[in-house]
């Protein structure tokens, strides 16, 4: 039976670059989740009978929200919902299902790499019919709607059994619980040379994959162990847990330190990789060689033609502004365009839809291609495997060869987390106010060549997105970027991105920390980080 529930608006339901992300307790407030979902359905107005994809990364509260979403979706006229068994769907797998089934959109319940559990974070992300994150026009409209909402629609129906494959009826909507892995694994098998990887494995190639007790476990076990023949146990932490075992499911050197230590040890397998909570990020480490995400993008782009899906070459490359310029050099060598976009995957979507680029990446461990409209952790792992299997080369040697040809972009990101919003805003305002005085200024050995606040004009739809971070470029191609995070759930996070370019004939075999000392000092001199925030060093360096 359909029911209309009277409600009142709840402040602060503004989705960020990756959906609405808050503490679990916030989503547990009466009407909070329903208000947001109803605001969304009011904005997207599904055609009656439309298909909706539903899944999440398995974190705490996922199952509760999925049951709410099923009832609201049915009451709002959807005709069919496809749901991953156990309520699981990785973000890239959801993107693929939306496209494959011609769905009008999809709901992905995840807070990505943020911690989970009753005291952790939860999130709701809506992807549109192209499979990509909802554009700003949609998220803003949802926010506006959430400020005036006065009712939500639901119906009385028992919970759907999320653990049994099969079809059931909820009001006028058919609910299909599907295997979350098969379609995605089949897609990967189409894109990559599985035979070449299987051969390398049979000849002794080894790897370790850390699923971080998050959603990629079942995907990695099926693809790496069952289909490619890697030994059982290659996938570690392969069972999704509601609290990710108490860890941050964030594939960086801090949170995946066990994998990192293994890869630097004498027992290291040939290849190591990890993925995040919802499966869209990746960490790539060869034996004794960590590859920065920015370098990974460049190296994948340079070698992508070795995979069947990209054998005819790339149309173009896109990288987010703070991502290093390593990919730009590859694009130049290949004679294809390289686009610089604001942080966040949705800006890649229009370029991919228009066929302008094939591969995209961000410094924050997101890499992907036109096969879906999200970044894709396992895709990056498989493209690396495909390249290594075809070239019969180690990660370390591939990286060295790459730098010897293109030069090396030493790179690090410094995060200052949980700082007071007012202090963060004051820092950015002062920085913006002083931009015009920066060019020509000498800071130790560095001289500022240019400084600006990054504004993006979308080449496809002409939209302009201003104030996407401050860029300070030094003579010789080194750079510091300052921006505030759009995904934090407590206070503000200042991100400082440091990049030093060494040409092919320069110093290619140094420690990153040594090479960035002058840039770190310059960043402090330019922004007064300690003066504004009281912090003399970052909380996290990646
Ligand atoms: C962070 C990353 C960004 C990524 C986003 C969503 O956003 O820096 O590259 O697209 O998470 O995964 P930020 O917190 O910096 O706004
Ligand atoms: Zn993620």
């Amino acid at each position: 039976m359909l029911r209309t529930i009277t409600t009142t608006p709840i402040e602060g339901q503004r989705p960020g670059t990756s959906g609405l992300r808050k503490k679990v307790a916030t989503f547990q407030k009466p009407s909070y989740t329903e208000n947001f979902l109803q605001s969304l359905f009011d904005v997207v107005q599904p055609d009656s009978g439309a298909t909706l994809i539903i899944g999440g990364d398995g974190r705490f509260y996922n199952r509760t929200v999925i049951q709410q979403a099923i009832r609201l979706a049915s009451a709002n006229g959807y005709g069919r919902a496809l749901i991953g068994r156990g309520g699981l769907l990785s973000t890239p797998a959801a993107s693929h299902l939306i496209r494959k089934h011609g769905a009008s959109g999809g709901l992905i319940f995840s807070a990505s790499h943020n911690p989970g559990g009753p005291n952790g974070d939860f999130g709701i992300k809506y992807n549109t019919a192209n499979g990509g994150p909802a554009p700003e026009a949609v998220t803003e409209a949802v926010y506006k709607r959430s400020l005036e909402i006065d009712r939500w629609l639901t119906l009385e129906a028992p919970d759907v059994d999320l653990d049994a494959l099969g079809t059931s009826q909820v009001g006028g909507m058919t609910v299909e619980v599907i295997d979350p892995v098969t379609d995605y694994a089949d897609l990967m098998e189409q894109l990559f040379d599985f035979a070449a990887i299987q051969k390398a494995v049979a000849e002794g190639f080894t790897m370790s994959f850390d699923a971080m007790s998050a959603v990629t476990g079942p995907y990695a076990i099926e693809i790496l162990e069952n289909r490619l023949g890697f030994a059982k146990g290659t996938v570690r932490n392969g069972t999704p847990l509601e609290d990710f075992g108490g860890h941050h499911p964030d594939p960086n050197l801090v949170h995946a330190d066990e994998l990192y230590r293994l890869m630097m040890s004498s027992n290291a397998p040939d290849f190591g990789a990890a993925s995040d909570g919802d499966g869209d990020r990746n960490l790539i480490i060869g034996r004794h060689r960590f590859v920065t995400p920015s370098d990974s993008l460049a190296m994948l782009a340079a070698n992508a033609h070795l995979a069947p899906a990209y054998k005819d070459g790339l149309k173009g490359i896109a990288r987010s502004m703070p991502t290093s310029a390593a990919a730009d050099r590859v694009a130049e060598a290949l004679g294809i365009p390289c686009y610089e976009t604001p942080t966040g995957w949705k800006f890649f979507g229009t370029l991919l839809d228009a066929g302008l680029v094939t591969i995209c990446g961000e410094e924050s461990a997101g890499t992907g291609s036109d096969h879906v409209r999200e970044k894709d952790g396992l895709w990056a792992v498989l493209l690396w495997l495909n390249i290594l299997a075809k070239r019969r080369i180690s990660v370390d040697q591939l990286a060295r060869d790459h730098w010897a040809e293109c030069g090396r972009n030493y790179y690090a990101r410094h995060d200052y987390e949980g700082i007071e919003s007012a202090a963060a805003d004051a820092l950015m305002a002062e920085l913006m106010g002083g931009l015009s005085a920066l060019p020509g200024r000498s800071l130790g050995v560095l001289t500022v060549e240019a400084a600006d606040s990054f504004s993006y004009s979308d080449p496809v739809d002409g939209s302009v997105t201003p104030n996407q971070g401050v860029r300070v470029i030094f003579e010789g191609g080194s750079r510091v970027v300052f921006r505030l995070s759009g995904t934090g759930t407590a206070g503000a996070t200042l991100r400082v991105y440091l990049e030093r370019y060494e040409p092919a004939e320069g110093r290619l075999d140094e420690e990153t920390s040594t090479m960035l000392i002058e840039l770190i000092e310059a960043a402090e001199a330019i922004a007064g980080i300690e003066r504004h925030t009281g912090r003399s060093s970052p909380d996290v360096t990646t």
Side-chain angles (χ1 to χ4, degrees), residues 303-355:
N303 292 283
H305 60 277
L306 297 171
Y310 312 105
K311 65 177 188 334
D312 297 330
L314 308 177
K315 292 174 188 148
I317 305 172
R319 64 162 173 88
S320 68
M321 183 274 279
T323 303
S324 94
D328 303 36
R329 294 176 194 280
V330 173
E332 206 183 312
L334 294 173
I336 56 175
C338 186
Y339 297 87
E340 187 175 31
T341 62
T343 295
W345 203 261
K346 63 184 161 200
F347 295 96
F348 295 142
T350 45
L351 300 175
L352 291 164
D353 283 345

Side-chain angles (χ1 to χ4, degrees), residues 17-18 21 112-113 280-281 320 343-345 362-364 375 413 483-488 495 497:
T17 42
S18 1
R21 205 178 281 183
S112 189
H113 50 287
D280 57 359
R281 295 186 178 204
S320 68
T343 295
W345 203 261
E362 294 193 280
E363 53 66 41
S364 55
K375 55 196 178 218
R413 185 178 97 185
R483 67 175 277 280
L484 298 182
S485 158
T487 60
R495 303 203 196 282
Y497 309 81

Side-chain angles (χ1 to χ4, degrees), residues 408-410 478 499-502 507 515-516 518-519:
R408 180 170 178 184
N409 295 68
Y410 288 94
S478 295
E499 174 181 356
R500 169 166 173 175
Y501 179 64
E502 278 289 311
R507 296 164 61 188
M515 296 300 275
L516 296 181
E518 289 98 351
L519 275 168

Side-chain angles (χ1 to χ4, degrees), residues 425-446:
D425 291 342
L427 182 149
M428 290 305 288
E430 194 181 292
L431 202 51
M432 305 263 276
L435 282 181
S436 57
L438 280 175
R441 185 169 158 196
S442 287
L443 297 148
V445 294
L446 297 163

Side-chain angles (χ1 to χ4, degrees), residues 347-473:
F347 295 96
F348 295 142
T350 45
L351 300 175
L352 291 164
D353 283 345
L356 295 179
V357 302
T358 310
I359 281 190
C360 317
E362 294 193 280
E363 53 66 41
S364 55
T367 332
S369 87
D370 55 3
H371 67 291
V372 290
R373 291 296 179 271
E374 287 278 3
K375 55 196 178 218
D376 188 343
L378 272 167
W379 170 90
V381 172
L382 291 165
L383 182 50
W384 265 100
L385 288 173
N386 189 145
I387 291 165
L388 296 174
K390 291 298 265 190
R391 285 189 56 181
R392 294 303 171 120
I393 191 175
S394 70
V395 173
D396 182 54
Q397 195 55 51
L398 187 147
R400 288 173 188 276
D401 290 357
H402 186 95
W403 297 328
E405 217 178 299
C406 303
R408 180 170 178 184
N409 295 68
Y410 288 94
Y411 190 89
R413 185 178 97 185
H414 288 184
D415 293 335
Y416 299 80
E417 294 177 344
I419 56 182
E420 270 178 49
S421 295
D425 291 342
L427 182 149
M428 290 305 288
E430 194 181 292
L431 202 51
M432 305 263 276
L435 282 181
S436 57
L438 280 175
R441 185 169 158 196
S442 287
L443 297 148
V445 294
L446 297 163
T447 304
V448 178
E449 188 176 277
D452 68 358
S453 167
F454 179 58
S455 171
Y456 179 64
S457 305
D458 192 302
V460 181
D461 62 23
S463 61
V464 175
T465 313
N467 293 327
Q468 294 300 300
V470 165
R471 303 189 282 194
V472 181
I473 298 161

